[in-house]
């Protein structure tokens, strides 16, 4: 596959036991997530889950941004590529058509993967700087804690495509229903301080101190017993699911795919003809 980025790994793991940093590494595309990246993240998290020396995992982005979301326009976009499935036992999307293809793919690389990562039995901290847009929100929300730099910004602009939010529809649970609607209805960016006031992130720190502060928080957590941390994470996740997170996401995933199907039926494609460039242009004009 010729993507112009064949030499560099799309995800890099740095071990500083008992902490590991997993860094998305497509900085020239603002760490847009293609399937190569989601599967590489899944590999990295799986290895660290099994590594007894590692107690806390930090998810970060290389370069100027955490992540611009799903890859809808880079040369490395790989929607037609098969990968061995791990998050679900559904069939491969390649060779399928219509909703059959879209649901098979998105259930694996987006919804299924995010759920697997959320359930990883070690505390995970998202270390967010710069853009954290659309599909990037799903990565940050799958982590247990979020530390943001003061220049971080967040947005889910996919309503512009006629789609009711990204696949892992945690919005009403992570920021409250009122602001979830504002975020989705307007598609506007909001900054780290607003995210903090909504309870969506844990801490906001100066950009220059982001890594040191996140590592310090991870080190403090790592002093706790590993099994105790795993049970605590499970207890809070179960409480969140009892508050409707899991079934709410399932319900929204169905609506998400109604929107993809509607777009495919009435416009040029399932994204209503949008790609990374038109979405950027629309935001500039807004
Ligand atoms: Zn989708």
């Amino acid at each position: 596959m010729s993507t112009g980025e064949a030499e560099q790994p799309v995800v890099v793991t740095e071990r500083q036991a008992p902490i590991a940093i997993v860094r998305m590494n497509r900085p020239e595309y603002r760490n847009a997530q293609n399937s190569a990246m989601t599967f590489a993240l899944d590999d990295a998290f799986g290895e660290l889950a099994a590594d007894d020396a590692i107690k806390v995992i930090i998810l970060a982005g290389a370069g100027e941004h955490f992540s611009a979301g799903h890859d809808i326009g880079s040369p490395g976009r790989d929607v037609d590529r098969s990968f061995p499935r791990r998050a679900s036992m559904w069939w491969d999307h390649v060779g399928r058509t219509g909703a059959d293809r879209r649901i098979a793919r998105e259930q694996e690389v987006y919804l299924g993967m995010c759920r697997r990562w959320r359930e990883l039995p070690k505390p995970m901290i998202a270390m967010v700087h710069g853009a954290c847009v659309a599909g990037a929100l799903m990565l940050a929300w799958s982590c247990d804690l979020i530390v943001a730099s003061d220049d971080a910004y967040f947005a889910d602009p996919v309503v512009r495509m006629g789609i009711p939010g990204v696949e892992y529809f945690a919005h009403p649970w992570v920021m409250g229903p009122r602001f979830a609607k504002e975020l989705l209805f307007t598609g506007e960016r909001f900054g780290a301080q607003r995210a903090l006031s909504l309870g969506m992130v844990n801490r906001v720190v100066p950009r220059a101190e982001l890594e040191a502060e996140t590592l310090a928080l991870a080190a403090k957590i790592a002093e706790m017993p590993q099994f105790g941390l795993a049970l605590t994470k499970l207890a809070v996740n179960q409480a969140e699911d009892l508050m409707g997170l899991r079934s709410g996401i399932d319900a929204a995933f169905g609506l998400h795919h109604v929107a993809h199907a509607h777009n495919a039926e009435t416009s040029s494609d399932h994204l209503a003809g949008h790609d990374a460039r038109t979405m950027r242009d629309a935001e500039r004009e807004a």
Side-chain angles (χ1 to χ4, degrees), residues 118-192:
R118 172 177 178 259
E119 289 165 7
L120 195 146
K122 296 181 180 178
M124 292 173 61
I125 306 174
M127 181 167 77
V128 178
H129 69 295
C132 180
V133 174
L137 292 170
M138 313 195 333
L139 295 184
W141 292 343
S142 299
C143 294
D144 303 297
L145 307 177
I146 302 175
V147 180
S149 60
D150 48 13
D151 68 339
Y153 61 90
F154 306 87
D156 185 355
V158 304
V159 176
R160 199 179 295 286
M161 300 169 166
I163 298 169
V166 291
E167 291 83 2
Y168 185 82
F169 191 82
H171 314 57
W173 288 268
V174 299
M175 65 183 73
R178 189 75 61 193
F179 188 71
K181 287 176 182 168
E182 182 183 331
L183 160 78
L184 288 162
F185 289 172
T186 66
E188 281 178 357
R189 293 179 178 187
F190 61 103

Side-chain angles (χ1 to χ4, degrees), residues 106 110 167 256-257 260:
E106 296 203 343
Y110 300 148
E167 291 83 2
H256 181 98
H257 280 276
H260 276 321

Side-chain angles (χ1 to χ4, degrees), residues 29 95 109 166:
Y29 302 111
V109 299
V166 291

